[in-house]
Amino acid sequence: MRAPNDAPDSYRPRRPRLDSQEAQEAADKARDLLARLLELSGFDVSVEGRADPKAIVLSVRGSDAPLLLEGNHGAPKLALLDTYSMLLRRMVFDNERDAVPIIIDADDYRIKRVEHLRYLATTLGDKARAGVNLQVFGMNSVDRRAVHKHVSASFSDV
């Protein structure tokens, strides 16, 4: 019996990629849709988008942008942005198989979060190197991946 990692390429899920023109068209459509959704929701913001073959990144700026980060009744900070991302992905791409992730950021929160996670990873890496057993709670899979990548790249002995 074949191990899962030995499966032929045809059985592995492919990661969607767009050529530069498709990516730009999708980013423009996503930007326009998000701007309209936020306007209809009463937010005073502007939306910028950039295209990448692996993802579409939308940046929301304006006086109401911080309101998009507020969790409601214990919801995570990014719950609203993640909901908009999922909705846009379904609206922009006809075929879910061809869809690349749509990442929405407000007031550079995600960038600041990655910087904080790198600092945390460095601190945790130093403690692990000193022989301290660590457990970190309250991280979603994206945050855990960012910490793991930073620790793997920065600490070869941890």
Side-chain angles (χ1 to χ4, degrees), residues 121-156:
T122 301
T123 303
L124 294 174
D126 289 338
K127 288 181 180 180
R129 183 180 282 152
V132 177
N133 287 332
L134 301 168
Q135 288 184 333
V136 181
F137 298 100
M139 283 190 188
N140 61 33
S141 61
V142 174
D143 291 350
R144 281 192 307 273
R145 179 175 160 84
V147 169
H148 177 76
K149 283 175 65 175
H150 182 74
V151 169
S152 295
S154 301
F155 300 95
S156 61

Side-chain angles (χ1 to χ4, degrees), residues 2-156:
R2 200 185 280 244
N5 289 342
D6 294 336
D9 287 336
S10 62
Y11 294 110
R12 290 190 183 142
R14 75 175 187 87
R15 290 209 164 135
R17 293 179 84 88
L18 301 174
D19 66 36
S20 59
Q21 182 179 353
E22 289 174 324
Q24 191 57 53
E25 289 171 2
D28 291 343
K29 184 176 180 180
R31 182 197 64 229
D32 294 344
L33 285 168
L34 181 60
R36 184 70 176 136
L37 285 170
L38 293 174
E39 177 187 340
L40 290 171
S41 299
F43 291 103
D44 181 23
V45 294
S46 64
V47 180
E48 299 169 7
R50 72 177 166 81
D52 182 295
K54 295 181 185 177
I56 293 170
V57 180
L58 302 174
S59 181
V60 180
R61 300 189 191 290
S63 59
D64 288 345
L67 297 175
L68 295 167
L69 296 171
E70 292 180 5
N72 190 11
H73 302 292
K77 272 192 152 198
L78 297 173
L80 183 58
L81 295 181
D82 290 342
T83 301
Y84 277 126
S85 293
M86 182 192 69
L87 180 63
L88 286 173
R89 192 168 186 225
R90 291 178 184 239
M91 293 171 75
V92 170
F93 298 101
D94 296 329
N95 181 353
E96 186 71 23
R97 183 174 167 91
D98 296 333
V100 297
I102 296 177
I103 301 164
I104 304 173
D105 195 4
D107 273 353
D108 295 328
Y109 175 81
R110 291 185 194 264
I111 294 168
K112 293 172 189 169
R113 179 77 178 148
V114 168
E115 289 172 1
H116 171 73
L117 289 171
R118 285 183 181 152
Y119 169 78
L120 178 65
T122 301
T123 303
L124 294 174
D126 289 338
K127 288 181 180 180
R129 183 180 282 152
V132 177
N133 287 332
L134 301 168
Q135 288 184 333
V136 181
F137 298 100
M139 283 190 188
N140 61 33
S141 61
V142 174
D143 291 350
R144 281 192 307 273
R145 179 175 160 84
V147 169
H148 177 76
K149 283 175 65 175
H150 182 74
V151 169
S152 295
S154 301
F155 300 95
S156 61

